Amino acid sequence: MLQPCPRGTVKWNDGRVITIGQLAGYVGVSVKTIRVYHDKGLFPEPERDASGYRRYGANDAIELIKIRTLAEAGVPLARIRDLRSATDDEFQQALREIDDELTDRIRSLRATQGRLHQLAAGRLSPLPREVGAHLKQLAQWGFTSRWVDLQRDLWILVFATHPDRAITLFHDQAEALADPALRQLFLDYDHAHDLHADDPRIDDLARRIAEATRTRYGPDELPELDAASEIPALIQGTVNASSPAWQRLDALIRARLNA
């Protein structure tokens, strides 16, 4: 409740008055914030008394609480100013919209919090369960731990940056690896890591991979991320950087597919 003013301050006709500092204290904002609201037209500046003090009443406190609540909800000050002239129905509709926006923000924050927990546990990003099972299967098929770790990190990158396309690309790769002949090509690619870049086996492997790719996809474009994305180049660059043999193998495959 607003209490009677101390002795010596200018009183209102009803015997009650609060200064800007007292108003700020009651509502829980700073004096500077109130002045900003005045300057931006959110909170009309009251008349001053003969001593030059602003005089605030209960209605001012109520109005300021409304403004503070909306501002704390993340509503832009310009929108709050517009709501001052809204009808009651318009104001209620605006509150419902703000509530929906808050719900979405809370959901996003919870997802971010979950990713932080994953990061704290040493995992950059959670992968779908089927991807985790697939990575375990790679080891059972004879892929090196280097390859499995690389695949895990690359799928994390794809799912984090292109969640709408990642699962389709994953299913395509999983389907290819389910074919023993295609799986052998992936295994050969994995084990080519330590070959010399000029080893003739790399030329033969590039030929076999290019032929298998054309047989699998025909004249259609390969399944990939959107053309504007830099992620595929980043992924391939990461792969190539670990092995000169892989770098040359990638260049040979691209040359054959583009011929």
Side-chain angles (χ1 to χ4, degrees):
M1 294 179 62
L2 303 183
Q3 301 298 323
C5 65
R7 179 180 177 84
T9 58
V10 178
K11 298 183 177 181
W12 287 27
N13 292 335
D14 63 356
R16 293 172 181 268
V17 64
I18 55 174
T19 65
I20 189 172
Q22 290 171 316
L23 176 63
Y26 287 135
V27 177
V29 297
S30 67
V31 170
K32 181 180 179 180
T33 295
I34 294 177
R35 288 174 176 155
V36 168
Y37 292 165
H38 285 326
D39 292 341
K40 293 188 176 294
L42 277 75
F43 187 40
E45 188 171 352
E47 296 179 0
R48 296 174 181 263
D49 58 33
S51 299
Y53 291 102
R54 295 185 181 94
R55 306 188 302 178
Y56 298 89
N59 287 338
D60 295 312
I62 292 170
E63 189 65 23
L64 186 57
I65 289 172
K66 291 180 181 179
I67 296 172
R68 183 204 65 189
T69 302
L70 291 170
E72 289 177 345
V75 181
L77 297 185
R79 187 176 181 187
I80 296 175
R81 184 179 59 244
D82 293 340
L83 288 175
R84 286 186 50 79
S85 59
T87 65
D88 184 63
D89 288 343
E90 291 172 339
F91 186 75
Q92 292 300 321
Q93 176 61 31
L95 290 183
R96 287 190 290 270
E97 292 173 359
I98 293 168
D99 184 70
D100 290 341
E101 292 168 5
L102 279 175
T103 299
D104 292 339
R105 196 187 314 167
I106 290 169
R107 185 180 298 112
S108 177
L109 287 172
R110 284 176 175 166
T112 299
Q113 184 181 50
R115 289 193 293 272
L116 286 175
H117 291 166
Q118 292 287 335
L119 182 60
R123 299 185 295 275
L124 288 178
S125 177
L127 286 170
R129 185 173 301 176
E130 60 183 314
V131 178
H134 172 76
L135 293 174
K136 291 181 180 179
Q137 182 66 59
L138 291 179
Q140 297 173 4
W141 279 331
F143 286 93
T144 63
S145 59
R146 175 192 58 237
W147 181 272
V148 175
D149 290 343
L150 179 62
Q151 291 296 309
R152 182 197 63 238
D153 292 345
L154 296 183
W155 282 122
I156 286 175
L157 179 59
V158 173
F159 273 91
T161 58
H162 292 76
D164 56 327
R165 295 279 294 124
I167 197 65
T168 299
L169 294 173
F170 167 73
H171 285 159
D172 180 75
Q173 187 186 93
E175 181 181 305
L177 285 169
D179 182 322
L182 294 179
R183 182 166 67 246
Q184 186 59 54
L185 288 178
F186 279 92
L187 283 165
D188 291 344
Y189 198 124
D190 176 16
H191 297 145
H193 180 276
D194 297 325
L195 294 178
H196 190 279
D198 293 328
D199 192 305
R201 286 174 289 182
I202 293 178
D203 296 79
D204 180 63
L205 179 57
R207 176 187 59 78
R208 289 189 289 125
I209 290 177
E211 290 177 355
T213 300
R214 283 178 171 162
T215 299
R216 178 171 170 77
Y217 298 105
D220 298 330
E221 294 184 1
L222 303 182
E224 58 183 0
L225 300 176
D226 56 275
S229 175
E230 297 180 355
I231 296 300
L234 179 62
I235 290 175
Q236 194 59 55
T238 301
V239 172
N240 292 345
S242 65
S243 165
W246 278 359
Q247 184 175 5
R248 182 165 181 267
L249 181 57
D250 174 54
L252 289 173
I253 293 172
R254 290 176 183 274
R256 286 181 174 274
L257 290 177
N258 293 329

